[in-house]
Amino acid sequence: MHNTTAMLIELGAIILALGLLGRLAGRVGFSPIPLYLLAGLAFGHGGILPLQASEEFVATGAEIGVVLLLLMLGLEYSASSLVTTLKTQYPSGAVDFVLNAAPGAVAALLLGWGPVAAVALAGVTWISSSGVIAKVLGDLGRTGNRETPVILCVLVMEDLAMAVYLPILTALLAGVGLAGGSITLLISLGTVGAVLYIALRHGRIVSRAVSSDNAEMLLLVVLGLTLLVAGVAQHLQVSAAVGAFLVGIALSEEVAEGAHGLLSPLRDLFAAVFFVFFGLHTDPADIPPVLLPALALAVVTMLTKIATGWWAARRAGIPSKGRWRTGGTLVARGEFSIVIAGLAVGTEPRIGPLATAYVLLLVVLGPLTARWTEPLASRLTRRSPDKPQNTAPADQSEPVHAGG
């Protein structure tokens, strides 16, 4: 009974604090994500007031938060529109890998950590945070913008690439070589292919099976299906986020619209818990010794992500302002980077604090670059004497919803 009482008190304090921080952020027109992270640092190990009774509950809530963030993003788009975007944007995935994995690999080699740690740190710097970016898109009201499908495409290609990357990394860390992870790799690829096939070919059947005029039944079925698919995907070494996203695109039209309205409050609650959980597992004392190399790596990969997004949006025919918004939005790193670092600390313990400081920097800078990269680029362009300003209406990037 004492543990239950303590857990309720801790959870109540956390949620109340998040509500107050969110209200403060809203009044100043700022994303609440950095404030949620700072709250996590305050309540975490080495913080001002460490949690005792509610940590396990918060960990579970954090995983649900990531799943709901990606489900809600998937509900914005149809499977056919996603496949069309993937077919046209796959070169952007290659550019993303080259520009953003290389700095991490080079940094690990320069630090003398060896090739296996280089593969791990390459993953840390390569993968953007789907959870943070999904939240930022919602906070800024950009889920229907013309550039958002390009952002989504880059994120999905990264998440799908994790189905290949994580088994390979696990095999390397275990010292069994690439051949040792071949079975896991085949299972991962097969799972992704099967879910994509169901979403594309049988999405209407899934929607009819899920559909209900009763809001309570619709909520329970959609949430249960999403968690089930996410759990199975995670068990098969595929990202739970990928599974949740694919459930979202498999639901269409009225079902997607109804589920979106019902799940939005749950998404907001558990997403906030996710960011707090990230801060809980960061000891503030570990950050200062690695802050300078983490800062250097953050600056380099912030620029490479902006370049990646700009190039990808340019290929898709997005006007200039949308290109800068695409690049700025992709900057944040988060959940995947922490997962990769957690796998690698057994082989190279020093990668943990560096990855934590790096991700903390970019998860704070990410919402800022998403908001300010385009206005700053526009201001610099207007000041340039040899580049006249293009004032065509097409450059306004009006929201265009892709359907659900």
Side-chain angles (χ1 to χ4, degrees):
M1 182 64 69
H2 174 72
N3 288 338
T4 302
T5 302
M7 183 183 72
L8 291 174
I9 292 173
E10 288 184 356
L11 286 176
I14 291 172
I15 294 172
L16 177 60
L18 293 178
L20 295 175
L21 290 173
R23 179 181 294 183
L24 174 62
R27 289 194 174 187
V28 298
F30 188 73
S31 171
I33 292 174
L35 300 181
Y36 293 162
L37 289 166
L38 292 175
L41 286 173
F43 286 120
H45 304 295
I48 300 172
L49 188 63
L51 298 180
Q52 300 295 332
S54 62
E55 187 172 354
E56 185 176 350
F57 182 92
V58 171
T60 303
E63 296 201 19
I64 294 174
V66 175
V67 167
L68 288 178
L69 282 168
L70 271 295
L71 169 67
M72 299 294 283
L73 200 56
L75 290 173
E76 294 284 340
Y77 305 98
S78 66
S80 58
S81 66
L82 173 67
V83 170
T84 300
T85 305
L86 287 172
K87 286 180 179 179
T88 58
Q89 285 293 322
Y90 70 89
S92 302
V95 170
D96 181 32
F97 170 73
V98 172
L99 288 183
N100 296 287
V106 170
L109 293 175
L110 290 176
L111 291 169
W113 292 354
V116 175
V119 173
L121 196 56
V124 170
T125 59
W126 170 25
I127 305 298
S128 296
S129 170
S130 299
V132 173
I133 291 170
K135 176 65 174 172
V136 168
L137 288 173
D139 289 342
L140 297 178
R142 295 181 182 174
T143 55
N145 277 23
R146 290 178 60 186
E147 72 272 6
T148 299
V150 178
I151 297 170
L152 182 63
C153 184
V154 173
L155 294 177
V156 170
M157 285 189 289
E158 289 180 348
D159 288 345
L160 293 175
M162 287 295 95
V164 178
Y165 171 81
L166 287 178
I168 292 175
L169 177 63
T170 302
L172 291 175
L173 293 172
V176 298
L178 296 178
S182 59
I183 295 178
T184 302
L185 178 59
L186 289 174
I187 293 174
S188 300
L189 294 176
T191 303
V192 173
V195 176
L196 276 174
Y197 175 81
I198 293 172
L200 287 168
R201 301 296 183 185
H202 305 293
R204 291 187 179 274
I205 297 176
V206 174
S207 294
R208 283 199 297 269
V210 170
S211 180
S212 175
D213 294 331
N214 187 304
E216 179 183 353
M217 295 302 104
L218 180 61
L219 172 63
L220 292 175
V221 172
V222 172
L223 181 59
L225 177 64
T226 303
L227 294 176
L228 177 63
V229 172
V232 171
Q234 189 79 7
H235 180 70
L236 295 175
Q237 304 299 318
V238 182
S239 165
V242 172
F245 176 78
L246 292 173
V247 170
I249 65 170
L251 302 178
S252 59
E253 299 173 355
E254 294 85 359
V255 175
E257 185 177 348
H260 194 285
L262 291 170
L263 289 166
S264 290
L266 283 177
R267 184 267 318 269
D268 294 338
L269 170 62
F270 284 106
V273 172
F274 162 70
F275 298 115
V276 170
F277 176 75
F278 181 79
L280 290 177
H281 287 265
T282 303
D283 189 339
D286 292 336
I287 294 177
V290 295
L291 191 57
L292 285 179
L295 180 60
L297 197 57
V299 170
V300 171
T301 54
M302 179 177 67
L303 296 176
T304 56
K305 273 292 181 182
I306 291 175
T308 297
W310 192 95
W311 191 84
R314 181 176 179 272
R315 286 194 75 256
I318 304 297
S320 177
K321 290 183 179 181
R323 297 174 196 173
W324 290 113
R325 283 196 295 267
T326 302
T329 304
L330 288 171
V331 164
R333 283 18 171 231
E335 58 274 13
F336 270 132
S337 298
I338 295 301
V339 168
I340 293 167
L343 291 173
V345 290
T347 301
E348 177 50 70
R350 292 171 291 181
I351 201 173
L354 176 63
T356 299
Y358 169 80
V359 172
L360 186 61
L361 285 168
L362 287 185
V363 84
V364 171
L365 290 173
L368 299 178
T369 59
R371 188 180 185 93
W372 297 110
T373 297
E374 181 266 316
L376 179 60
S378 297
R379 183 173 300 177
L380 293 175
T381 301
R382 284 197 298 269
R383 290 181 179 178
S384 176
D386 55 346
K387 290 208 174 186
Q389 193 62 26
N390 181 6
T391 58
D395 205 32
Q396 296 174 1
S397 293
E398 295 180 357
V400 176
H401 292 280

